[in-house]
Amino acid sequence: MAADRRVGIAVDFSPSSKNALKWAVDNVIRKGDHLILVTVRPEGHYDEGDQIQLWEATGSPLIPLSEFCDPIIMKRYGVKPDPETLDIVTTAARQTQIEVLMKIYWGDPREKLCEAIDTIPLSCIIVGNRGLGTLKRAIMGSVSNYVVNNGSCPVTVVKHHV
């Protein structure tokens, strides 16, 4: 991958996405990279009349780390990053000298993660895996499986160990 890598991490602030984030910071991220946290919210999750409606089709602008650490700013996007995720990325930014950004989409996570790959664009994307059994995965669908099969960049799935 080139020197100006844009490494995407699918983040929903669940234990499996935090595990994938930690794995990416420890194993993939290097000095000079852009770490882009991609989060997908359900459609219609914003206050009426809010500017979010303008970004529903294309996603939010890229949000710098200093802004997504601010709970007041993130409330406008309908996202509440947890302290552990913020600690992981602020420590990585400081220690590894990377730029950390967040991009928020609204809609189906499977489709929006594949859209993010092409529109940001991402050099690679790392996603967590909830460890659903075969039956649950068949009924509910697997976001990571969909992205592996439909994404246009390298995709790494980090298994969640219980």
Side-chain angles (χ1 to χ4, degrees):
M1 290 185 209
D4 186 28
R5 298 186 316 161
R6 291 177 173 226
V7 178
I9 311 284
V11 176
D12 64 2
F13 311 108
S14 67
S16 60
S17 77
K18 284 186 263 192
N19 185 47
L21 176 59
K22 288 176 195 171
W23 185 89
V25 167
D26 292 342
N27 297 289
V28 178
I29 300 301
R30 60 183 183 228
K31 183 177 179 178
D33 283 348
H34 290 80
L35 176 62
I36 302 171
L37 306 183
V38 181
T39 190
V40 182
R41 304 288 300 140
E43 284 183 84
H45 274 236
Y46 45 77
D47 295 330
E48 282 194 38
D50 207 350
Q51 61 192 12
I52 303 305
Q53 292 175 333
L54 299 173
W55 299 322
E56 191 168 20
T58 60
S60 72
L62 289 171
I63 305 164
L65 177 60
S66 60
E67 289 186 21
F68 75 76
C69 284
D70 183 335
I72 295 169
I73 291 174
M74 294 314 292
K75 186 177 181 182
R76 291 190 311 203
Y77 291 102
V79 174
K80 186 178 178 188
D82 68 291
E84 186 180 0
T85 300
L86 294 176
D87 182 54
I88 294 167
V89 295
T90 53
T91 302
R94 187 176 58 254
Q95 293 178 348
T96 319
Q97 298 175 6
I98 59 172
E99 184 174 1
V100 180
L101 303 161
M102 179 180 277
K103 176 92 171 168
I104 304 166
Y105 289 91
W106 289 267
D108 180 347
R110 294 173 292 197
E111 293 173 8
K112 294 300 180 176
L113 289 173
C114 289
E115 181 181 318
I117 291 169
D118 296 326
T119 59
I120 291 177
L122 297 175
S123 306
C124 65
I125 190 165
I126 299 159
V127 296
N129 180 313
R130 292 183 293 170
L132 296 177
T134 307
L135 182 60
K136 280 187 180 177
R137 193 169 48 245
I139 293 169
M140 295 170 53
S142 166
V143 172
S144 58
N145 190 52
Y146 184 91
V147 176
V148 165
N149 289 309
N150 296 285
S152 60
C153 73
V155 179
T156 301
V157 178
V158 179
K159 289 191 173 198
H160 181 67
H161 300 288
V162 182

